[in-house]
Amino acid sequence: MNTLSYGLLSLLSHHSLSGYDLMLRIQPFWPAKHSQIYPLLAFMEKEEQVTFELIAQSDKPDKKVYSITDKGIDSLREWLSVPASDPVMRDELMLKAYCVSFVDPAISRKLFVSRLEHYQTKLQRYREKIRTVLSSEGLTESDTPGYRSPLFGAYILLNKALLTCRTNIEWCEWVLSVIPEAE
Amino acid sequence: MNTLSYGLLSLLSHHSLSGYDLMLRIQPFWPAKHSQIYPLLAFMEKEEQVTFELIAQSDKPDKKVYSITDKGIDSLREWLSVPASDPVMRDELMLKAYCVSFVDPAISRKLFVSRLEHYQTKLQRYREKIRTVLSSEGLTESDTPGYRSPLFGAYILLNKALLTCRTNIEWCEWVLSVIPEAE
DNA sequence: TCATTATATGTAAAAAGAGACATAATATCA
DNA sequence: TGATATTATGTCTCTTTTTACATATAATGA
């Protein structure tokens, strides 16, 4: 039971999901490929943290829908009571930023322009997401779901994503303002 | 030549550094243990991206001080001209945040209080760092180093670190304001 | 028709990263 | 005196993560 497996339990604590859906949903918080997810789910099933049901589909391939067990909920509660380990961030742009002076400003600008676009696209997606999440429970954008609401977790995470995205955009724009257009 | 090796080249483009110093300095941008750095430096030396000089020290153990070669500078320039890959962030707190409703608010609060303290400590360190970096070239906090200044990279990175830290603090404080003190 | 994309699951191998083991000098603290 | 911390380099093993291989249905587009 490593961090990723607790992440899967966390997602399963809200809804039952297939391995494929778990893989898609965990991306924003703990990127992982399906090749890592599937064997881990098999292990967690053996450990009785999750169970699965085979769902036959006519239009799409059949799937295994996983659910968290009572034992899984207990594991989740125990995990929540110990402090979270420090976040790990690896960003190639930070490594490049340190030595941008070695190339022409036009080349440097490209790095930050493409990253800026990346964050602008993400911001749009998060904005739409927060609207759909809130409206799914009949809430508007001025409402905050209560602590015991099933939306609470998703809501605070989406707010974090929005704040982070805006800060990154602000930083990219500032960097572009201090890199000359040409020399 | 993976991303970490370009990160080492990036650091070496400013100063010659020992493997130990490289390990310490790369932490904020691309965390890596010495067990990963030392074999990589040996490989990069074989590839003629770096050279080293054995420096005997009387008070401390002897060290190998690495310098970037002309070939290394060429690699750096080529690497800078391709877009940076997407950042990867793995934060256990994000996984926990999704299911905080499963435990008492007091337990949840602890998670965000300890993370808040973590970012406050970091903010202090970055504030001191930016002062020492700027004053090393006789600049004050209102000055911005020019694009060709050797401080430019460090300066934009420290600004990013400050912005990010402040945003994270803001988010933690907001989360604590929406988690009830008790139920 | 062929290529690609999305859905869906799996394995195998390679690369990256973490943790432990190993050595050694000096310094500090109990 | 013994324990720990800092500086310094290195290896070995284990875990984690990525990439590639593999299969299958259905839809979409060139």
Side-chain angles (χ1 to χ4, degrees):
Chain A
M1 292 286 289
N2 54 19
T3 308
L4 177 57
S5 57
Y6 284 106
L8 297 175
L9 284 185
S10 182
L11 290 176
L12 290 174
S13 71
H14 287 61
H15 317 280
S16 294
L17 292 164
S18 67
Y20 187 77
D21 283 336
L22 282 165
M23 182 269 292
L24 293 177
R25 293 218 194 194
I26 207 160
Q27 295 309 315
F29 315 114
W30 198 276
K33 313 283 173 184
H34 72 273
S35 55
Q36 205 181 352
I37 306 273
Y38 291 132
L40 195 55
L41 283 169
F43 172 78
M44 289 165 74
E45 199 261 341
K46 212 173 62 189
E47 297 278 303
E48 296 176 290
Q49 303 285 329
V50 296
T51 51
F52 72 87
E53 207 187 341
L54 248 162
I55 304 291
Q57 296 185 122
S58 53
D59 52 333
K60 297 169 189 176
D62 298 352
K63 62 180 174 180
K64 289 182 177 176
V65 172
Y66 286 88
S67 301
I68 193 166
T69 62
D70 288 345
K71 197 176 163 187
I73 296 276
D74 289 344
S75 302
L76 208 60
R77 288 220 170 85
E78 221 179 295
W79 171 65
L80 281 165
S81 66
V82 298
S85 53
D86 290 348
V88 171
M89 164 77 132
R90 286 197 179 89
D91 187 352
E92 201 180 14
L93 186 60
M94 301 303 100
L95 300 175
K96 294 194 180 195
Y98 191 69
C99 58
V100 279
S101 307
F102 276 83
V103 288
D104 289 334
I107 294 172
S108 298
R109 296 186 70 85
K110 273 187 195 163
L111 292 171
F112 294 96
V113 166
S114 79
R115 181 55 67 89
L116 177 62
E117 286 164 356
H118 170 258
Y119 284 124
Q120 278 165 341
T121 309
K122 267 181 83 174
L123 182 61
Q124 269 308 103
R125 279 210 301 270
Y126 288 134
R127 269 205 255 258
E128 287 159 28
K129 186 85 191 176
I130 208 158
R131 267 196 298 274
T132 59
V133 164
L134 284 174
S135 69
S136 76
E137 294 273 308
L139 298 171
T140 68
E141 259 162 282
S142 53
D143 296 316
T144 296
Y147 179 69
R148 290 293 182 187
S149 159
L151 291 186
F152 186 78
Y155 180 72
I156 62 173
L157 283 171
L158 274 166
N159 260 292
K160 155 103 176 168
L162 284 174
L163 284 174
T164 304
C165 238
R166 288 200 195 101
T167 301
N168 283 320
I169 287 170
E170 196 192 319
W171 181 70
C172 284
E173 286 174 340
W174 171 75
V175 170
L176 286 168
S177 81
V178 294
I179 300 179
E181 300 275 346
E183 275 181 318
Chain B
M1 291 287 289
N2 54 19
T3 308
L4 177 57
S5 57
Y6 284 104
L8 298 175
L9 284 185
S10 182
L11 290 176
L12 290 174
S13 71
H14 287 61
H15 317 278
S16 295
L17 292 164
S18 67
Y20 187 77
D21 284 335
L22 282 165
M23 182 268 292
L24 293 178
R25 294 220 194 192
I26 207 160
Q27 295 309 314
F29 315 114
W30 199 277
K33 312 284 172 182
H34 72 274
S35 55
Q36 204 181 353
I37 306 274
Y38 291 132
L40 195 54
L41 283 169
F43 172 78
M44 290 165 72
E45 198 261 341
K46 212 172 63 190
E47 297 279 302
E48 296 177 289
Q49 304 285 328
V50 296
T51 51
F52 71 87
E53 206 188 339
L54 248 163
I55 304 292
Q57 296 185 120
S58 53
D59 52 334
K60 299 170 190 177
D62 298 353
K63 61 182 175 181
K64 288 181 178 176
V65 172
Y66 286 87
S67 302
I68 193 166
T69 62
D70 289 344
K71 198 176 163 188
I73 297 276
D74 289 344
S75 303
L76 208 62
R77 287 220 171 85
E78 222 179 293
W79 171 66
L80 281 165
S81 66
V82 298
S85 53
D86 289 349
V88 171
M89 163 76 133
R90 287 198 177 90
D91 187 352
E92 202 180 13
L93 186 61
M94 303 301 100
L95 301 175
K96 295 196 180 194
Y98 190 69
C99 59
V100 279
S101 306
F102 276 83
V103 289
D104 289 333
I107 293 172
S108 298
R109 296 185 69 84
K110 272 187 196 164
L111 291 172
F112 295 96
V113 166
S114 79
R115 180 56 66 92
L116 177 61
E117 286 164 356
H118 170 258
Y119 285 124
Q120 279 165 341
T121 309
K122 266 180 83 174
L123 183 60
Q124 269 307 104
R125 278 209 300 270
Y126 288 134
R127 270 206 254 259
E128 287 159 28
K129 187 84 190 174
I130 208 158
R131 265 197 299 276
T132 58
V133 163
L134 284 174
S135 68
S136 77
E137 292 275 307
L139 298 170
T140 68
E141 259 163 281
S142 53
D143 296 316
T144 297
Y147 180 70
R148 291 294 182 188
S149 159
L151 291 186
F152 186 78
Y155 180 72
I156 62 174
L157 284 171
L158 274 166
N159 261 292
K160 156 103 175 169
L162 283 173
L163 284 174
T164 304
C165 236
R166 287 199 195 101
T167 300
N168 283 320
I169 287 170
E170 195 192 321
W171 181 70
C172 285
E173 285 174 340
W174 172 76
V175 171
L176 286 168
S177 80
V178 294
I179 300 178
E181 299 275 346
E183 275 182 318

